[in-house]
Amino acid sequence: MSDETLTTLGPDDVEQVEWDLAPLVDGDADAGAVRLLDDAADRAAAFADAYAGKVAELDADGLRDAMRELGTIAELAGRAGTYAMLRFAVDTADPERGALLQRVQELGTAIETKLLFFDLEWAALDDERVEELLAADGLDFCRHHLRNLRRYRPHLLSEPEEKVLTEKAITGSGAWSRLFAEVTSAIEVTVEGEGGPVPLDAALARLASPDRDERRRVAEAVTEALEPGLRTRGFVLNTLLYDKAVDDRLRSYSNWLASRNLSNEASDESVEALVQAVRARYDIPQRWYRLKAQLLGLDRLADYDRAAAVTEADPQIPWPEARDLVLDSYAGFDSRVGEVVRRFFAEHWIDAPVRPNKRGGAFCAYAVPSVHPYVMLNYTAKRRDVLILAHELGHGVHAALAAPQGVFHQHTPLTLSETASVFGEAIVFGRLLDRADSPESRLALLAESLEGSIATVFRQIAMNRFEDLAHTSRRDGGELSVERIGELWAESQEEMFGDSVEVTDGYRSWWSYVPHFISTPGYVYAYAYGQLLALSVYRRYREEGEGFVDRYVEMLAAGGSKPPEELAKIVDVDLSDPGFWDSGLDLVAEQLEAAEAAAREAGRVPA
């Protein structure tokens, strides 16, 4: 990479790597967000006047015009909503940001309520009429979306009922989710050796320390920090478990996960097959954790040992080095993809530093097709953070390439949404592995990658199992005590660990900082689905080389314009094959075998 290129990539100091949200609101800050929503509300009112009660009368031209206007309204509301959410994410304690988010959510809900009639009337049309309309030209930008809406027909209520549920959500599930985000973002951990309390993410990062006493102390400090608000977070979970039970009953869903499966365009049977296939291979993480205990000189791991580095080397990777490595890796794969990644750095689409009251973790916000995606990190200069950067930029590449599909088809179902991120992570990992110059360094990298796979496949299915236990227990037996929630959490984790890891008493409260259980119930299995799919796709790339690249880019650029099975076929993957999950799991097992071989070669375990 040339020096001239590097000068366009933003600041070298990670503390200055902040996103620029001005494009979302035309440079008008908070007032711009409100203006966009006011415009969307006016257009929604006019749309309702023009089309309410008349969807059945539309011809193909009328349907096309209506969908284009709905797309415009969605863009306006999406820009405002993304701006408010991203502003809040980096400082959840700022009352002005919280107030703006609440206002935007309320206005957005009012718009959604105003437009509910369209989906309901469309769903009520008979199949023959729908097929006649969808066969017309000019509907490529929304055809798959309109077909998908029809899949919800058995679960839709009357228009007045739908309006009530939509309007009340802002003070119901939405309010509880916001409360959870605020209280977890405010958690600070008092860790020995720091000048003062540190954010939860920063404390959790220290569980990678090579010093076991430090890991134990950090884990105890995290448990202590989680304790004060534990009952509040437990009440939030209980409330949302019951809220979902009521919603599922009213909508006639057969089980707690059925609505998520429907939105993912996945059958209950296929998801159950995934869950059972992964649970049947829990021997893979157990085998790794036994090997890891040997590498660490322990008889058995405790839960706080799982993130420990298996070598003494714990390299710090400054932001400029991480940025350049990730960009070079993506550009080396394909120049089109590399140019998208360059824009993230050069045009301030990333917010990277750890800050007090910043939301934990990392994510990519697709925003809207008319602007661009954004990536949020909590970059602590660990090698794992480099792979997280690569992961989230994979999401960003997917969002940017699919933007021409428009607001109805930019997003894929969750089951495919991890494909580009895991693929990008694999590319960067491959680059790191190629640079490793000793068995010890290869072992360290293979261990990190393997643990990433375990976290994304096996741990997410274990968390799915926890959700299953929590939702079914709440429906069968009423409100769950904090102690009972902890027991269910431990049960799901112990099944995955077997006898390879000791689950300590303190770990029983660690479910309580995971946002997915609160804001997106049922989400987590999509990580495993996406990881196994992405590993299969990456294997095809390794086998086919350059001939694969164009098909891969074509798949990403298709966004969610086709069913998942058709998208996967672009890269010759058959999602209907019952052996698909085992094939992906075999790749993880191969990675474990490579780590075992590297450990023997490095002289860390008996040959």
Side-chain angles (χ1 to χ4, degrees):
M1 186 180 300
S2 69
D3 292 339
E4 181 180 354
T5 302
L6 289 175
T7 62
T8 69
L9 295 182
D12 286 347
D13 182 356
V14 70
E15 296 299 325
Q16 298 175 19
V17 180
E18 300 179 358
W19 52 33
D20 176 13
L21 303 182
L24 288 166
V25 290
D26 299 322
D28 292 338
D30 294 7
V34 175
R35 175 181 51 75
L36 288 167
L37 275 177
D38 286 343
D39 188 7
D42 291 343
R43 298 182 80 129
F47 185 91
D49 289 342
Y51 292 102
K54 304 173 185 176
V55 174
E57 303 170 11
L58 293 176
D59 58 13
D61 289 339
L63 178 61
R64 188 184 311 112
D65 292 342
M67 292 305 296
R68 290 202 181 281
E69 180 61 13
L70 282 176
T72 298
I73 295 168
E75 280 267 355
L76 292 168
R79 287 169 64 189
T82 301
Y83 173 83
M85 183 273 289
L86 296 181
R87 284 258 295 157
F88 180 74
V90 296
D91 189 352
T92 61
D94 183 346
E96 291 186 5
R97 297 178 191 225
L100 175 67
L101 179 63
Q102 184 71 14
R103 183 177 182 184
V104 166
Q105 288 177 337
E106 290 172 359
L107 290 171
T109 299
I111 293 168
E112 183 181 352
T113 303
K114 181 70 72 174
L115 299 175
L116 269 174
F117 76 88
F118 187 89
D119 290 358
L120 296 172
E121 291 186 35
W122 171 254
L125 295 180
D126 65 72
D127 292 339
E128 183 177 353
R129 177 59 177 156
V130 166
E131 290 307 313
E132 179 185 344
L133 289 168
L134 292 182
D137 293 335
L139 289 173
D140 289 350
F141 72 97
C142 63
R143 185 177 286 112
H144 183 62
H145 168 75
L146 287 171
R147 287 193 189 281
N148 259 344
L149 290 178
R150 304 274 296 173
R151 298 167 61 245
Y152 287 87
R153 291 178 72 185
H155 309 291
L156 295 174
L157 307 178
S158 69
E159 184 175 347
E161 289 170 321
E162 291 287 355
K163 285 185 174 180
V164 169
L165 288 178
T166 302
E167 290 204 47
K168 292 293 288 182
I170 197 71
T171 55
S173 59
W176 289 112
S177 294
R178 176 181 164 184
L179 174 63
F180 184 89
E182 290 193 9
V183 297
T184 53
S185 296
I187 292 172
E188 293 186 323
V189 183
T190 301
V191 177
E192 183 179 326
E194 297 286 350
V198 299
L200 179 61
D201 268 20
L204 293 172
R206 292 185 60 169
L207 291 173
S209 168
D211 183 336
R212 193 184 198 203
D213 286 338
E214 180 180 3
R215 295 195 299 270
R216 177 183 51 76
R217 289 194 300 270
V218 169
E220 291 171 352
V222 168
T223 299
E224 184 177 351
L226 293 174
E227 177 61 31
L230 183 58
R231 295 201 177 276
T232 298
R233 298 192 300 281
F235 182 76
V236 171
L237 178 63
N238 264 295
T239 300
L240 291 175
L241 292 174
Y242 185 68
D243 180 80
K244 190 174 191 315
V246 171
D247 199 52
D248 288 346
R249 173 172 53 80
L250 293 175
R251 297 187 181 281
S252 302
Y253 284 112
S254 59
N255 61 76
W256 76 272
L257 197 53
S259 61
R260 177 64 61 191
N261 296 342
L262 186 64
S263 68
N264 285 343
E265 300 182 53
S267 68
D268 291 355
E269 293 77 16
S270 68
V271 173
E272 181 62 20
L274 163 68
V275 172
Q276 293 306 324
V278 174
R279 290 174 71 189
R281 301 291 293 274
Y282 275 167
D283 61 293
I284 293 175
Q286 291 168 16
R287 186 168 138 198
W288 164 246
Y289 288 134
R290 292 189 187 100
L291 173 62
K292 186 165 189 174
Q294 287 183 274
L295 294 170
L296 296 176
L298 303 173
D299 293 331
R300 182 188 183 198
L301 298 184
D303 48 66
Y304 53 78
D305 294 315
R306 290 175 302 118
V310 297
T311 68
E312 293 184 2
D314 186 16
Q316 291 286 299
I317 302 182
W319 176 256
E321 183 181 343
R323 176 195 64 198
D324 300 346
L325 172 63
V326 170
L327 178 52
D328 277 344
S329 299
Y330 273 105
F333 168 72
D334 181 72
S335 59
R336 294 162 293 182
V337 171
E339 174 56 22
V340 173
V341 171
R342 186 197 66 79
R343 295 187 68 192
F344 272 86
F345 296 110
E347 300 181 27
H348 306 287
W349 299 359
I350 301 174
D351 194 279
V354 177
R355 300 190 198 91
N357 302 309
K358 184 177 179 178
R359 176 177 160 175
F363 65 80
C364 174
Y366 270 45
V368 292
S370 61
V371 185
H372 54 74
Y374 287 89
V375 162
M376 192 203 81
L377 308 168
N378 280 274
Y379 191 81
T380 61
K382 302 290 187 182
R383 186 159 49 191
R384 182 63 196 156
D385 289 341
V386 179
L387 294 175
I388 291 172
L389 171 62
H391 182 102
E392 298 304 337
L393 285 173
H395 283 303
V397 166
H398 204 166
L401 291 177
Q405 294 289 346
V407 72
F408 297 115
H409 289 160
Q410 182 186 26
H411 288 261
T412 65
L414 287 176
T415 42
L416 269 70
S417 65
E418 295 297 320
T419 307
S421 55
V422 174
F423 189 94
E425 197 175 334
I427 292 172
V428 173
F429 172 76
R431 183 70 68 90
L432 288 169
L433 193 60
D434 287 343
R435 298 195 324 187
D437 56 3
S438 69
E440 190 78 7
S441 61
R442 287 198 301 276
L443 172 61
L445 283 165
L446 285 164
E448 286 188 27
S449 181
L450 179 62
E451 289 186 331
S453 294
I454 289 173
T456 306
V457 177
F458 298 100
R459 185 167 186 262
Q460 298 303 326
I461 293 302
M463 291 203 291
N464 168 270
R465 178 62 179 155
F466 164 68
E467 285 190 285
D468 183 68
L469 292 170
H471 281 275
T472 54
S473 297
R474 179 68 176 84
R475 295 178 187 203
D476 294 342
E479 183 167 296
L480 306 175
S481 67
V482 168
E483 291 74 22
R484 181 57 181 154
I485 298 171
E487 290 172 359
L488 298 178
W489 173 251
E491 179 182 338
S492 66
Q493 304 306 295
E494 287 168 347
E495 180 192 12
M496 179 182 72
F497 296 144
D499 62 1
S500 66
V501 176
E502 175 196 1
V503 176
T504 63
D505 288 341
Y507 190 66
R508 290 175 175 245
S509 66
W510 285 34
W511 63 268
S512 70
Y513 66 79
V514 180
H516 295 99
F517 301 151
I518 303 301
S519 58
T520 48
Y523 179 98
V524 292
Y525 79 76
Y527 284 115
Y529 191 120
Q531 176 87 1
L532 296 177
L533 171 59
L535 288 176
S536 296
V537 172
Y538 184 67
R539 181 169 67 177
R540 289 201 177 276
Y541 167 56
R542 288 193 308 180
E543 294 170 348
E544 299 179 26
E546 290 299 317
F548 173 86
V549 173
D550 284 344
R551 296 203 314 277
Y552 176 75
V553 173
E554 177 189 349
M555 181 188 70
L556 298 189
S561 61
K562 300 176 182 179
E565 292 80 6
E566 292 185 28
L567 292 170
K569 283 180 181 177
I570 297 174
V571 290
D572 296 328
V573 170
D574 184 3
L575 296 181
S576 66
D577 181 357
F580 171 73
W581 304 122
D582 279 328
S583 175
L585 289 163
D586 286 343
L587 289 173
V588 182
E590 290 174 17
Q591 197 173 40
L592 172 58
E593 290 167 3
E596 290 171 332
R600 290 192 296 270
E601 189 178 353
R604 299 288 301 278
V605 297

